[in-house]
């Protein structure tokens, strides 16, 4: 276990809605660690000054939007998913500087597996923003080699196609309102929770979309989830992804790596899941 500070926070703008303090407090209680975990509203312009002002007790940060890009730039090292995505959601402070991790990718992949979706060769992503990048890398981790990206503005999905080529994945980009041509066993929706979509578009995606994994954990059900329900198909809420990525952040803060399991990790994970489903 690393030595040093015991103070942790989640930063972002907005931040009041974040469930991270509840998740992390639960994990450290199960682990028997007397660590504090708070939240602070920080934007991109103030990020560098806020980091510079942290005291010696600061162990690390969880980052949400819009700070994942600036955290990536501030990192002296990055894990593979942070390098590929260009986004860091976890900073670990050491004497050598802040080390950046992206735990969103592994969080999505782990929760998709948790819900029994395995061994799929093809999938669809709805959306083309930053979360879509993590979704694409999660599909890569799940062994998916053929992905369609359905985007409101297909030209904005060009970086996803380029990333797919880089990692050996075939990525086809289509307009969100285009006619769906192929069946897929898994659809990952990465749109904001309040996104309003045409019912006919949603129905077209639902009809040939397999299981819907919607990364949203508020604003439920989404327009897409309602369409899946109309078609009698399965729609999964993304709160489990939040839990799984937070678990990997806890690994980073405890052991300095997102790959080393925690002591009695199943008990930690179960407690974290209960903490966000008990209300």
């Amino acid at each position: 276990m690393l030595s040093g500070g015991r103070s942790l926070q989640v930063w972002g703008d907005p931040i009041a809605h974040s469930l991270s303090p509840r998740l992390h407090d639960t994990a450290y209680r199960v682990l028997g660690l007397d660590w504090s975990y708070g939240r602070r509203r920080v934007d991109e312009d103030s990020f560098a000054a806020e980091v510079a002002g942290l005291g010696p007790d600061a162990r690390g940060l969880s980052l949400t939007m819009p700070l994942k890009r600036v955290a990536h730039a501030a990192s002296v090292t990055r894990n593979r998913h942070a390098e590929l995505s260009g986004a860091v959601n976890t900073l670990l402070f050491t004497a050598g500087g802040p080390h950046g991790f992206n735990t969103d990718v592994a969080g999505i992949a782990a929760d998709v597996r948790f819900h029994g979706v395995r061994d799929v060769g093809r999938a669809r992503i709805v959306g083309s923003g930053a979360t879509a990048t993590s979704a694409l890398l999660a599909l890569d981790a799940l062994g998916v080699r053929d992905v369609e990206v359905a985007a409101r503005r297909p030209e904005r999905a060009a970086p996803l196609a380029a990333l797919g080529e880089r990692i050996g994945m075939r990525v086809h980009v289509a307009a969100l309102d285009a006619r769906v041509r192929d069946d897929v066993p898994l659809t990952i929706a990465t749109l904001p929770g309040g996104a309003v979509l045409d019912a006919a578009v949603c129905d077209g995606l639902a009809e040939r979309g397999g299981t819907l994994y919607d990364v949203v954990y508020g604003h439920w059900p989404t327009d897409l989830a309602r369409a899946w329900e109309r078609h009698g198909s399965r729609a999964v809420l993304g709160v489990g992804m939040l839990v799984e990525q937070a678990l990997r952040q806890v690994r980073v803060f405890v052991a300095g790596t997102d790959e080393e399991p925690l002591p009695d990790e199943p008990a930690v994970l179960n407690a974290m899941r209960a903490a966000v489903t008990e209300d």
Side-chain angles (χ1 to χ4, degrees):
M1 183 182 297
L2 293 173
S3 59
R6 299 181 175 183
S7 175
L8 299 154
Q9 293 185 346
V10 56
W11 289 4
D13 185 17
I15 199 62
H17 69 290
S18 176
L19 294 175
S20 292
R22 188 189 303 185
L23 286 165
H24 282 260
D25 285 344
T26 297
Y28 303 131
R29 184 170 62 251
V30 174
L31 291 167
L33 297 172
D34 184 21
W35 291 0
S36 67
Y37 189 100
R39 74 181 89 206
R40 186 183 301 181
R41 184 177 179 181
V42 177
D43 60 20
E44 290 176 284
D45 292 337
S46 60
F47 176 78
E50 292 285 355
V51 170
L54 291 170
D57 62 332
R59 189 180 200 84
L61 295 172
S62 305
L63 291 314
T64 186
M65 297 302 292
L67 301 178
K68 296 181 181 182
R69 300 292 181 188
V70 292
H72 180 277
S75 304
V76 296
T77 66
R78 306 174 189 92
N79 73 343
R80 177 176 179 270
H81 287 152
E83 287 285 4
L84 288 171
S85 66
V88 161
N89 75 328
T90 312
L91 282 178
L92 176 69
F93 297 127
T94 70
H99 300 274
F101 299 81
N102 180 318
T103 67
D104 289 333
V105 173
I108 294 172
D111 199 46
V112 169
R113 290 192 194 98
F114 174 79
H115 287 284
V117 181
R118 301 171 183 269
D119 301 323
V120 295
R122 304 184 66 251
R124 180 174 292 116
I125 296 173
V126 181
S128 59
T131 306
T133 302
S134 289
L136 187 73
L137 291 170
L139 290 172
D140 175 58
L142 291 167
V144 177
R145 305 270 43 98
D146 193 344
V147 176
E148 178 185 278
V149 176
R152 285 174 166 173
R153 299 182 180 180
E155 67 277 7
R156 292 193 175 182
L160 290 173
L163 177 58
E165 183 175 358
R166 181 179 175 187
I167 60 178
M169 177 185 286
R170 179 178 177 271
V171 177
H172 170 71
V173 178
L176 183 59
D177 58 359
R179 182 179 179 181
V180 176
R181 297 177 300 175
D182 300 315
D183 292 338
V184 294
L186 172 66
T187 297
I188 299 183
T190 66
L191 299 174
V196 177
L197 299 177
D198 182 84
V201 170
C202 294
D203 287 334
L205 292 167
E207 185 177 2
R208 311 191 73 170
T211 295
L212 173 68
Y213 186 88
D214 200 321
V215 300
V216 168
Y217 62 91
H219 300 89
W220 189 261
T222 61
D223 285 353
L224 284 172
R226 292 188 184 95
W228 255 254
E229 182 179 355
R230 288 194 296 271
H231 286 264
S233 299
R234 184 186 186 202
V236 176
L237 175 70
V239 68
M241 176 272 288
L242 186 70
V243 175
E244 292 283 2
Q245 65 83 23
L247 177 75
R248 284 153 181 80
Q249 289 185 331
V250 174
R251 289 179 179 176
V252 169
F253 298 143
V254 169
T257 173
D258 59 332
E259 298 180 353
E260 182 177 324
L262 298 164
D264 199 10
E265 184 162 288
V268 177
L269 180 58
N270 288 339
M272 293 172 76
R273 286 190 179 274
V276 292
T277 58
E278 61 191 11
D279 291 344

